[in-house]
Amino acid sequence: MKDPAQNYTAFPDGEALDRDNLRVLRFLRHGPLGLGELAEKTSLARNTVATRVDHLIRRGLIKQGPSIPAERGRPSVRFKLNERAALLYLVFFDETHVTGAICDLGGTELGSLSRCLDEAYETDDAIRHIVEIRDTICAENGIDRADLQVCVLGVQGPVAEDQKTVPWSRVGLLPTGMAAVIGMPVIVENDANLMAVGVAASQDGAEPIMCILVSNGIGAGIVTNGAVHRGTGGWAGEIGHVPILAAGERPCVCGSRGCSSAVAGNLALYDMLRAKGHSVATISDVAQLAVAGNLDAILALRNVGRNIGEAILGLVIAIAPGRIIVAGHAAEIGDHLLAGVRETIVYRMPAALAARIQVEISAEYENTMRRGALSLGFDSLFPPKL
Ligand SMILES: [Zn+2]
C-alpha cells in the first residue's frame, strides 16, 4: 500500500524544463533560497526568477521552504527542492554482492536490499537481480514503480561511452535496450568513477581528484574540471592493468602480462599471506591478523600499497591530482596500505609535486559512491548544461 503521507510526485510530466527553470532548480538543490538570493545566484532578473519559481511549484518540483523573519514587514519566503519529485534506483555490483537502493532527490533512502551473487552468474542473472530487487523494495516500502525516474548502475571494470561493460566486468556485456528491460533510463558507470564523482560533488573548487578503489582488483576514478575522465572505451584509470616490475610475467585476464592487479589487490594480499603459511580467504581474515599485530599481514598490506603506488605513478604525473583518495576494505585496515601508497609517491615523484598531493583514505566509501550515483542521476534528470 502506498503511504499517502509520503506524497510521491511523479516526474517527468512530459513537459520539458527550459534553461532558466533548470538553473533555478539546480541552485535550490543545495538548500532553500529566497527570490533575491536566487536572482543573485542565477544572474536572472528578479521577476524572471519569480515566474520560474511559480512554474516549478506548479510542476511539483520545488516548494515553499522555511521563511526568514524580517525586521520589518512580512517574513521573506524561501523555496526549496521537492525531494520527492522523483525517485532514483541505485544499484551497485561488487565481487560478491549486488545492492539496490531507492532514494529521493535529496538522497534519503526509502528502501534497500542486498543479495549475494553466485560464483558463476552471467548478464541475464545480473538483469534479473536488478529487476527483482527493484520490485521487492517497491513492494516492501509502498513505492509506486512509476515514480522511479532513473536507474544508476555501478559496476566494476571499464564502462565505455555507449555504457556497455566489458566481458570481464562481472555484470557482463549489457544489452543496448537496458532502459526497456528495467522500465526507466539507465546510466551505467564504473564504481571508482562513481566514487570520484561523489568526492567531487562535496568538494569546493575544481582540483583534479583520483580515487583508487581496492577490491580483488584495483581501479581508479579520475575527475578533472568537475567531470569524469573516461578515456577511449572507458579505459582511463584502469590501473590494475598497468604493467609493473613486481608483477613479473604473470598473465592477466586482459590478455597482457605483468599487470599490477596480480600484486596490488585483495587476491594479491591473500597470495602473499598464504606464501607465509597463513590461511586467509577473505579480507576479514587479513584484518584479523593485522589488528592482532601480525607482522606478515602488516607488511603485506604495505607492500600492496607500494605496488598500487607504482601502478599510478604515470597517472599521477599526467594529471597531478590535488587529492588521491584510497578506498576499499583493505585500505581500512589501519593505515598500512595507505602508508605504502604514500611512500611510493614521496620517493618516486618530484618533491615539489609530492608535497602538493594529499593521499587520504575514504572511510565509508559506499556512501561516497552512492553520493556519486545520486549526482549522476540528478544531472540526467536536470542537466547542468543545455
Ligand atoms: Zn591486465
Side-chain angles (χ1 to χ4, degrees):
M1 272 291 290
K2 186 166 171 170
D3 177 6
Q6 298 286 345
N7 193 25
Y8 302 129
T9 314
F11 177 83
D13 46 19
E15 202 184 328
L17 284 165
D18 70 16
R19 200 176 58 175
D20 290 349
N21 278 318
L22 282 171
R23 284 178 75 182
V24 170
L25 182 74
R26 289 185 60 87
F27 274 111
L28 290 176
R29 188 186 178 194
H30 305 293
L33 293 170
L35 285 181
E37 291 164 310
L38 274 170
E40 198 182 311
K41 285 185 183 291
T42 57
S43 310
L44 296 169
R46 196 181 161 106
N47 54 0
T48 309
V49 169
T51 318
R52 300 308 179 201
V53 163
D54 282 346
H55 177 87
L56 292 168
I57 288 180
R58 208 174 57 245
R59 300 273 296 271
L61 292 169
I62 66 171
K63 55 188 182 183
Q64 209 165 310
S67 304
I68 325 164
E71 280 182 19
R72 282 186 305 170
R74 285 187 302 163
S76 143
V77 177
R78 291 184 128 185
F79 302 93
K80 63 177 191 177
L81 182 71
N82 175 14
E83 294 177 339
R84 295 294 167 90
L87 301 182
L88 298 92
Y89 179 36
L90 314 178
V91 188
F92 305 97
F93 282 86
D94 65 22
E95 275 125 2
T96 53
H97 289 82
V98 51
T99 305
I102 294 179
C103 296
D104 68 15
L105 289 174
T108 301
E109 184 185 294
L110 307 182
S112 69
L113 183 66
S114 193
R115 277 185 179 179
C116 286
L117 291 168
D118 272 347
E119 193 65 34
Y121 83 94
E122 292 181 1
T123 305
D124 287 348
D125 303 308
I127 294 168
R128 184 173 49 80
H129 283 307
I130 296 168
V131 171
E132 286 178 6
I133 289 176
R134 174 201 63 188
D135 291 348
T136 309
I137 299 175
C138 282
E140 285 179 355
N141 297 280
I143 299 166
D144 188 342
R145 242 176 64 182
D147 292 342
L148 303 179
Q149 299 302 335
V150 62
C151 171
V152 184
L153 202 55
V155 298
Q156 299 180 314
V159 174
E161 276 296 341
D162 60 1
Q163 300 193 335
K164 287 179 184 174
T165 51
V166 297
W168 72 77
S169 152
R170 292 210 56 205
V171 177
L173 201 60
L174 294 168
T176 41
M178 282 286 284
V181 178
I182 302 182
M184 66 188 106
V186 179
I187 300 166
V188 186
E189 187 51 279
N190 168 270
D191 49 7
N193 286 357
L194 284 179
M195 244 192 77
V197 172
V199 172
S202 54
Q203 88 163 13
D204 293 330
E207 199 161 46
I209 300 163
M210 188 194 292
C211 283
I212 301 167
L213 191 52
V214 185
S215 55
N216 282 359
I218 50 169
I222 303 156
V223 166
T224 54
N225 299 319
V228 167
H229 177 69
R230 187 175 303 282
T232 186
W235 271 90
E238 284 299 318
I239 54 172
H241 301 283
V242 172
I244 64 170
L245 271 180
E249 283 294 306
R250 282 179 241 195
C252 177
V253 66
C254 71
S256 186
R257 286 177 175 274
C259 289
S260 66
S261 57
V263 288
N266 294 354
L267 297 180
L269 260 180
Y270 308 153
D271 284 349
M272 288 175 193
L273 287 169
R274 282 181 199 137
K276 295 273 181 189
H278 299 283
S279 157
V280 289
T282 65
I283 201 66
S284 311
D285 298 337
V286 180
Q288 223 167 24
L289 282 174
V291 170
N294 181 283
L295 209 56
D296 292 337
I298 290 169
L299 288 177
L301 283 162
R302 191 146 184 146
N303 245 334
V304 160
R306 286 192 192 112
N307 290 337
I308 293 172
E310 286 288 334
I312 62 172
L313 287 176
L315 202 52
V316 168
I317 202 96
I319 67 165
R323 296 169 75 193
I324 297 176
I325 296 135
V326 189
H329 298 302
E332 290 168 5
I333 307 171
D335 60 357
H336 312 299
L337 190 147
L338 195 73
V341 177
R342 198 177 275 145
E343 184 190 307
T344 312
I345 300 292
V346 168
Y347 283 114
R348 304 287 304 275
M349 285 284 105
L353 171 60
R356 296 184 68 110
I357 302 175
Q358 204 177 321
V359 184
E360 56 194 283
I361 192 161
S362 166
E364 296 182 348
Y365 69 93
E366 285 101 341
N367 284 342
T368 312
M369 216 184 290
R370 184 182 287 211
R371 222 169 31 241
L374 194 70
S375 182
L376 287 189
F378 187 92
D379 285 353
S380 77
L381 293 172
F382 310 110
K385 288 182 190 128
L386 282 181

